[in-house]
């Protein structure tokens, strides 16, 4: 074998001396044995050879990694060894009789161990690292633990003993050197900075000279706590509302700002003076305050309002109440806009009386309407579909035709009032006219009477009962008085027995009488 190409490596020297046992008086030769020590070879070495033994080498790695000098028994490593790939090799050695080629002794087993050197740097295997911690957490709060591993032999000195240090992240964070636990060293406000990049270094050999190192980055995010109250940025909001707006109308929005996020930024608005005219509700999506109309407003009654609104967070933990002692407030000025409103009558309806048979142009009554707006437009009046009454621009109602109570005792009129400056503004009011009775009708017999009497009827016999009616109105029942005409009184054969109800009777006997 040409050993010029071998890579000599110090493995160790085996004890291969033969052992003899001898008893006194005995001439028997005792079988000799071989004693092999455990060998050590440094990894990565590529020079110096050691005399081990002789003859033949067997086992895993024999011939490919290790070779033996058949003459001297020296063993050589022909490749670099890596303890992290394989830390020991089990080989077998055998002594061969060079003359016969036979084994002189049975095979003997020995172990070659690869000793460790510090050739591996620490590595962080769980990257990337990310942690979340609440803002304003106190000093000493645990954030996260990072762990590095070193492939070197932990039993070989300090090769795999690690120390952690902080390369970036001071003064807000610190790290425990032996455990890799990161803790908070100073309070942090998310509203100023919401995330931090921390760089951690791990060194083996407990940081001694010649140590190898590895680094990793940790992203630390601050979660929000409710340490900010909502604040109005405007001290005064100006809104407008039309006096014609119905109740429930949204008239404007106000907005408070909260530096917190999510649930911590949810807020509720309210009106401080418990206004009966306005209310404010919260838009849960935009967190705006919506001012709504609770009761209709009237420009002529009050043309502006000043209300005070406040805002507070909806969810506040007990230990954070110190940040929310006093609610933020603002003022809201609401200007009422004047609308052109229709005329307003002084009464909801009018009731007038007039005697029947009053002459043309007789006064019936007067209605009055005014413009509620500031400009006070003149009013023009009219009557809807009436041929009996008319009205002038002063609201005076007069008759245009004679009235007969017996034909119509009541008139239901509709009077309209129209603004001269804006004819679209119209109002109407009902007017009831009662026609009062006068005694302008004589009593009338209720029917035509055609009576007969027998010729032998006796004196005082009732012939006919006659009644009368009067078309005039009377508070009480009508009372009539009946009598015969003067001519009939002198010549008639009949008399009236009752003057309230005409009872016609014989005055004297007749042989034959006919009444018509």
């Amino acid at each position: 074998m040409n050993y010029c190409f071998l890579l000599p490596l110090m493995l160790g020297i085996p004890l291969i001396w033969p052992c003899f046992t001898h008893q006194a008086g005995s001439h028997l030769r005792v079988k000799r044995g071989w004693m092999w020590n455990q060998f050590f070879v440094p990894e990565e070495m590529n020079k110096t050879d050691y005399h081990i033994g002789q003859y033949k080498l067997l086992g895993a790695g024999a011939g490919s990694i290790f070779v033996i000098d058949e003459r001297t028994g020296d063993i050589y490593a022909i490749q670099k060894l890596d303890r992290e790939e394989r830390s020991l090799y089990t080989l077998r050695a055998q002594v061969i009789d060079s003359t016969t080629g036979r084994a002189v002794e049975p095979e003997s087993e020995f172990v070659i161990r690869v000793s460790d050197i510090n050739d591996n740097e620490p590595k962080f295997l769980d990257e990337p690292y990310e942690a979340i911690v609440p803002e304003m957490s106190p000093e000493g709060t645990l954030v996260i633990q990072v762990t590095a591993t070193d492939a070197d032999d932990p039993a070989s000195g300090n090769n795999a003993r690690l120390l952690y240090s902080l390369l970036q992240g001071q003064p807000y964070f610190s790290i425990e050197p032996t455990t890799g636990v990161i803790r908070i060293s100073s309070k942090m406000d998310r509203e100023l900075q919401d995330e931090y990049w921390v760089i951690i270094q791990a060194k083996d050999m407990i940081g001694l000279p010649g140590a190898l190192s590895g680094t990793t980055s940790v992203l630390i995010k601050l979660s929000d706590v409710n340490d900010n109250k909502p604040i109005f940025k405007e001290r005064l909001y100006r809104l407008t509302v039309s006096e014609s707006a119905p109740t429930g109308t949204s008239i404007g929005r106000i907005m408070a700002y909260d530096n917190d996020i999510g649930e911590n930024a949810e807020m509720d608005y309210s009106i401080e003076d418990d206004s009966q005219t306005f209310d404010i509700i919260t838009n849960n999506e935009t967190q705006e305050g919506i001012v709504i109309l609770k009761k209709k407003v009237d420009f002529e009654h009050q043309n502006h309002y000043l209300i005070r609104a406040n805002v507070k967070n909806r969810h506040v933990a007990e230990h954070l109440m110190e940040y929310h002692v006093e609610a933020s407030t603002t003022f809201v000025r609401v200007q009422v806009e004047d609308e052109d409103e229709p005329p307003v009558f002084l009464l909801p309806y009018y009731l007038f009386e007039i005697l029947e048979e009053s002459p043309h142009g007789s006064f019936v009554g007067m209605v009055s309407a005014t413009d509620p707006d500031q400009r006070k437009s003149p009013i023009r009046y009219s009557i809807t579909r009436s041929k009996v009454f008319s009205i002038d621009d002063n609201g005076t109602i007069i008759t245009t035709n004679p009235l007969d109570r017996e034909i119509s005792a009541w008139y239901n009129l509709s009077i309209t009032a129209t603004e001269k400056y804006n004819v679209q503004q119209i109002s109407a009011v009902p007017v009831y006219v009662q026609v009062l009775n006068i005694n302008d009708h004589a009593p009338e017999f209720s029917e035509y009477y055609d009576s007969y009497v027998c010729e032998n009827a006796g004196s005082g016999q009732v012939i006919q009962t006659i009644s009368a009616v009067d078309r005039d109105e009377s508070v009480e029942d009508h009372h009539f008085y009946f009598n015969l005409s003067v001519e009939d009184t002198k010549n008639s054969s009949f008399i009236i027995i009752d003057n309230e109800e005409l009872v016609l009777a014989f005055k004297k006997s007749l042989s034959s009488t006919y009444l018509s």
Side-chain angles (χ1 to χ4, degrees), residues 64-334:
S64 59
I65 299 176
F66 302 100
V67 295
I68 189 169
D69 187 325
E70 294 180 355
R71 181 179 58 82
T72 64
D74 294 336
I75 297 176
Y76 299 87
I78 59 175
Q79 292 184 13
K80 284 187 177 182
L81 305 179
D82 190 345
R83 189 201 66 83
E84 286 70 44
E85 291 183 2
R86 186 167 181 175
S87 62
L88 62 87
Y89 296 84
T90 302
L91 299 175
R92 302 186 308 279
Q94 192 174 38
V95 179
I96 305 297
D97 188 330
S98 58
T99 59
T100 64
R102 295 181 179 180
V104 177
E105 300 291 341
E107 294 179 355
S108 296
E109 187 176 80
F110 62 96
V111 175
I112 298 177
R113 294 185 179 276
V114 182
S115 61
D116 185 51
I117 65 171
N118 190 22
D119 62 339
N120 290 279
E121 72 276 2
K123 294 182 179 180
F124 293 90
L125 302 181
D126 295 329
E127 294 180 309
Y129 290 98
E130 184 173 316
I132 299 176
V133 64
E135 64 172 329
M136 308 305 289
S137 295
E139 182 178 347
T141 300
L142 172 66
V143 179
I144 192 175
Q145 182 176 18
V146 296
T147 304
T149 59
D150 193 315
D152 291 321
D153 187 0
S156 179
N158 296 320
N159 290 349
R161 293 182 62 186
L162 307 181
L163 282 183
Y164 299 92
S165 61
L166 207 63
L167 299 184
Q168 176 180 304
Q170 302 92 342
Y172 302 109
F173 302 96
S174 63
I175 189 168
E176 295 179 359
T178 58
T179 64
V181 172
I182 301 174
R183 297 185 183 275
I184 288 178
S185 58
S186 179
K187 283 188 176 181
M188 293 165 287
D189 190 345
R190 187 201 64 84
E191 286 71 41
L192 298 179
Q193 185 174 341
D194 61 355
E195 62 182 33
Y196 296 81
W197 280 100
V198 176
I199 299 178
I200 307 298
Q201 182 185 66
K203 275 189 174 183
D204 59 17
M205 296 185 65
I206 58 175
L208 295 174
L212 302 178
S213 64
T215 60
T216 189
S217 297
V218 182
L219 175 60
I220 301 176
K221 297 181 179 180
L222 299 183
S223 60
D224 187 54
V225 300
N226 197 355
D227 59 339
N228 294 277
K229 68 179 182 180
I231 296 175
F232 288 107
K233 292 189 177 180
E234 301 290 339
R235 297 184 61 85
L236 177 66
Y237 290 85
R238 300 180 185 273
L239 306 177
T240 59
V241 60
S242 170
E243 64 176 336
S244 63
T247 57
T249 299
S250 170
I251 64 175
R253 297 169 181 258
I254 62 176
M255 182 71 179
Y257 295 87
D258 194 325
N259 288 328
D260 295 319
I261 58 176
E263 184 182 86
N264 294 329
E266 294 179 2
M267 58 190 77
D268 289 315
Y269 297 85
S270 61
I271 294 180
E272 196 169 272
D273 56 0
D274 194 24
S275 171
Q276 300 299 314
T277 307
F278 302 97
D279 197 4
I280 186 169
I281 59 176
T282 302
N283 184 322
N284 290 325
E285 294 183 0
T286 64
Q287 298 302 313
E288 294 175 300
I290 304 174
V291 182
I292 60 174
L293 189 63
K294 281 175 63 177
K295 186 176 73 174
K296 284 183 65 67
V297 292
D298 186 353
F299 176 85
E300 288 70 34
H301 177 259
Q302 186 173 347
N303 60 16
H304 74 276
Y305 295 82
L306 186 64
I307 58 178
R308 188 172 183 175
N310 59 32
V311 63
K312 60 182 180 179
N313 277 135
R314 188 174 298 167
H315 310 285
V316 182
E318 186 67 29
H319 69 282
L320 297 172
M321 288 301 296
E322 60 180 297
Y323 298 104
H324 301 265
V325 175
E326 186 176 351
S328 177
T329 62
T330 189
F331 288 96
V332 181
R333 180 184 175 88
V334 182

Side-chain angles (χ1 to χ4, degrees), residues 431-492:
V431 176
Y432 307 104
V433 180
Q434 182 180 18
V435 181
L436 301 179
N437 181 62
I438 62 173
N439 195 8
D440 59 342
H441 290 85
E444 299 175 354
F445 289 106
S446 58
E447 60 179 291
Y448 175 76
Y449 295 96
D450 191 2
S451 301
Y452 298 88
V453 64
C454 296
E455 61 179 345
N456 58 352
S459 176
Q461 181 177 345
V462 176
I463 300 173
Q464 180 72 54
T465 299
I466 299 174
S467 62
V469 295
D470 192 331
R471 287 189 294 167
D472 292 321
E473 186 180 35
S474 176
V475 177
E476 300 178 355
D477 292 337
H478 289 286
H479 299 281
F480 303 110
Y481 298 91
F482 301 92
N483 60 292
L484 296 173
S485 63
V486 177
E487 295 79 4
D488 288 339
T489 301
K490 293 179 179 180
N491 302 320
S492 177

Side-chain angles (χ1 to χ4, degrees), residues 14-82:
L15 296 179
I16 56 175
W17 303 315
C19 296
F20 297 95
T21 58
H22 179 268
Q23 294 182 358
S26 175
H27 299 283
L28 295 175
R29 182 175 180 270
V30 180
K31 183 179 181 180
R32 56 183 180 172
W34 297 90
M35 297 177 60
W36 295 85
N37 281 345
Q38 181 173 280
F39 303 103
F40 293 92
V41 56
E43 62 176 331
E44 305 294 340
M45 288 195 64
N46 58 5
K47 56 186 176 178
T48 306
D49 58 319
Y50 284 86
H51 180 77
I52 297 176
Q54 53 184 200
Y55 306 137
K56 189 175 182 180
L57 189 66
L58 303 171
S64 59
I65 299 176
F66 302 100
V67 295
I68 189 169
D69 187 325
E70 294 180 355
R71 181 179 58 82
T72 64
D74 294 336
I75 297 176
Y76 299 87
I78 59 175
Q79 292 184 13
K80 284 187 177 182
L81 305 179
D82 190 345

Side-chain angles (χ1 to χ4, degrees), residues 376-449:
K376 300 299 180 185
S377 171
I379 305 299
R380 184 170 60 245
Y381 300 93
S382 61
I383 298 179
T384 304
R385 295 188 300 273
S386 177
K387 297 180 180 180
V388 182
F389 303 94
S390 66
I391 188 170
D392 60 19
D393 286 344
N394 292 325
T396 301
I397 302 173
I398 60 174
T399 62
T400 56
N401 283 301
L403 303 176
D404 188 346
R405 191 205 65 83
E406 286 71 38
I407 295 176
S408 180
W410 285 91
Y411 290 89
N412 298 331
L413 307 179
S414 178
I415 305 297
T416 58
T418 305
E419 291 184 10
K420 287 186 177 180
Y421 295 159
N422 184 358
V423 295
Q424 302 298 322
Q425 298 297 338
I426 301 174
S427 294
V429 70
V431 176
Y432 307 104
V433 180
Q434 182 180 18
V435 181
L436 301 179
N437 181 62
I438 62 173
N439 195 8
D440 59 342
H441 290 85
E444 299 175 354
F445 289 106
S446 58
E447 60 179 291
Y448 175 76
Y449 295 96

